């Protein structure tokens, strides 16, 4: 049985259920890299160019973790994953970066996925990827349909909390229904929010402080789109649209008590989306803070800032009834 490796980084957090089902339906075995560790980060930092953002460096580390375990590594060249939109160009350059930085790799499946003009273009990419494992187009289409269903099921699962395949086993994956908890909107790219090593376990830290983390993936796609449409200009980055849509939704909800934005150092997209969110949060008087992650971020600093932020929210809700004394 052919083994196909998926690095547990970047697009993994959005598309793992889809590709796992797709490859398995075509008779392949899917191997994912280990959860992120210090070794994985150090290895990624060692081989990757200095200028890359932390998630790209971490991706390199995950590829190294997989390279001797599989026949293929799946690194599609993602250009656009939604009609009329793009994703970060680093996703498009990923296969080339990996090939030039890491030696001794198995074959990389680097088919381009670009649905910017029409979503129907996905079929060509799916067929080309499927052909690595099965020559029959009919079977590939069947696998695609099953994979789409798995993807939608996973989206649905998010409504009840973070699915088990993402979080550590001992984390509960809080939901907004825990009434004694504070609710905080956790914004950022999925690979920053759900990689607990990279973000210093922020979801668990919040749980310990009796705070629910509500993430963009827990919200209905329709809600995200509707809220993002209220922006004066269309946001053409797919993840940016989702983050901004979620931010607008959080700001309107009376039961979201604060917003934390997790961003990567060196990410152009995060730098201006975070700024837009911050301006709107401040206008609405909702507590907001940002955590910037890079390979040097220290856990003690994150602990202190999480505690200070949550203390400030509790203090305000007790003493100021959400009316600021400073303007
Ligand atoms: S969107 Fe930002 S964090 Fe993500 S890959 Fe691009 S530069 Fe890196």
């Amino acid at each position: 049985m052919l083994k196909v490796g998926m690095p547990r980084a970047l697009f993994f957090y959005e598309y793992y259920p889809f590709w796992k089902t797709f490859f398995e339906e075509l008779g392949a075995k899917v191997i994912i890299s280990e959860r992120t560790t210090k070794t994985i980060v150090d290895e990624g930092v060692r081989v990757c160019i200095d200028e890359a953002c932390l998630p790209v460096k971490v991706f390199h580390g995950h590829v190294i973790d997989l390279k001797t375990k599989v026949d293929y590594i799946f690194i599609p060249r993602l250009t656009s994953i939604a009609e009329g939109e793009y994703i970060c160009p680093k996703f498009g350059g990923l296969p080339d970066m990996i090939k030039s930085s890491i030696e001794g790799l198995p074959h990389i499946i680097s088919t381009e996925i670009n649905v910017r003009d029409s979503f129907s273009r996905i079929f060509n990419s799916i067929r080309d990827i499927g052909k690595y494992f099965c020559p029959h187009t009919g079977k590939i289409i069947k696998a695609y349909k099953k994979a789409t269903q798995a993807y939608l099921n996973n989206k649905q699962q998010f409504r009840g909390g973070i699915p088990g395949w993402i979080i550590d086993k001992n984390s509960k994956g809080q939901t907004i229904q825990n009434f004694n908890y504070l609710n905080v909107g956790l914004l950022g790219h999925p690979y920053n929010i759900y990689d607990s090593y990279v973000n210093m376990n922020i979801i668990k830290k919040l749980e310990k402080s009796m705070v629910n983390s509500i993430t963009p993936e827990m919200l209905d796609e329709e809600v995200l789109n509707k809220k993002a449409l209220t922006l004066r200009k269309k946001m053409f980055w797919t993840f940016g649209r989702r983050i901004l849509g979620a931010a607008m939704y959080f700001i309107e909800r009376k039961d979201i008590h604060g917003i934390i934005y997790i961003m990567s150092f060196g990410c152009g997209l995060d730098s201006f989306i975070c700024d837009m969110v911050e301006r709107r949060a401040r206008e609405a008087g909702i507590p907001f803070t940002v955590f910037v992650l890079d390979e040097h971020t220290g856990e003690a600093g994150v602990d202190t800032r999480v505690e200070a932020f949550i203390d400030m929210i509790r203090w305000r809700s007790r003493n100021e009834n959400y009316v600021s004394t400073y303007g």
Side-chain angles (χ1 to χ4, degrees), residues 79-110:
T79 304
S80 166
I81 53 173
E83 272 185 34
E85 295 178 353
Y86 283 110
I87 63 169
C88 169
K90 286 192 179 131
F91 281 82
L94 216 47
D96 302 318
M97 281 181 89
I98 292 292
K99 283 180 203 164
S100 72
S101 323
I102 304 174
E103 289 177 354
L105 290 168
H107 187 85
I108 303 289
I109 302 177
S110 60

Side-chain angles (χ1 to χ4, degrees), residues 128-145:
D128 292 348
I129 295 167
K131 288 269 157 85
Y132 280 90
F133 306 96
C134 168
H136 308 296
T137 306
K139 212 170 165 203
I140 294 172
I141 291 173
K142 212 168 144 202
Y144 169 68
K145 285 185 182 158

Side-chain angles (χ1 to χ4, degrees), residues 10 53 55-56 88-91 189 191-192 264 266-270:
L10 294 179
C53 59
V56 166
C88 169
K90 286 192 179 131
F91 281 82
H189 288 89
Y191 37 89
N192 285 334
S264 308
C267 173
L269 200 76
D270 269 345

Side-chain angles (χ1 to χ4, degrees), residues 166-264:
I166 289 186
I167 49 171
D168 295 338
K169 287 185 205 79
N170 51 354
S171 178
K172 284 182 278 172
Q174 296 295 339
T175 75
I176 205 162
Q177 274 103 34
N178 291 324
F179 295 112
N180 293 325
Y181 280 53
L182 286 180
N183 297 312
V184 161
L186 206 53
L187 293 175
H189 288 89
Y191 37 89
N192 285 334
I193 294 183
Y194 302 118
D195 187 328
S196 57
Y197 183 85
V198 162
N199 66 31
M200 320 265 156
N201 239 331
I202 192 159
I203 291 178
K204 215 179 283 173
K205 286 188 194 344
L206 290 168
E207 274 178 25
K208 275 195 195 151
S209 303
M210 295 183 72
V211 178
N212 294 315
S213 304
I214 318 300
T215 66
E217 287 69 33
M218 290 179 186
L219 308 180
D220 205 303
E221 193 75 17
E222 265 182 45
V223 172
L224 298 179
N225 287 338
K226 213 168 120 196
K227 295 293 167 198
L229 279 176
T230 60
L231 294 165
R232 263 188 284 167
K233 224 175 151 197
K234 179 176 159 50
M235 166 55 62
F236 54 86
W237 303 108
T238 301
F239 285 120
R241 168 179 51 78
R242 288 186 190 161
I243 294 169
L244 280 168
M248 315 283 262
Y249 176 78
F250 292 154
I251 286 167
E252 279 176 15
R253 293 271 309 229
K254 296 282 173 266
D255 52 357
I256 299 285
H257 305 98
I259 295 178
I260 297 176
Y261 196 114
I262 305 179
M263 70 182 278
S264 308

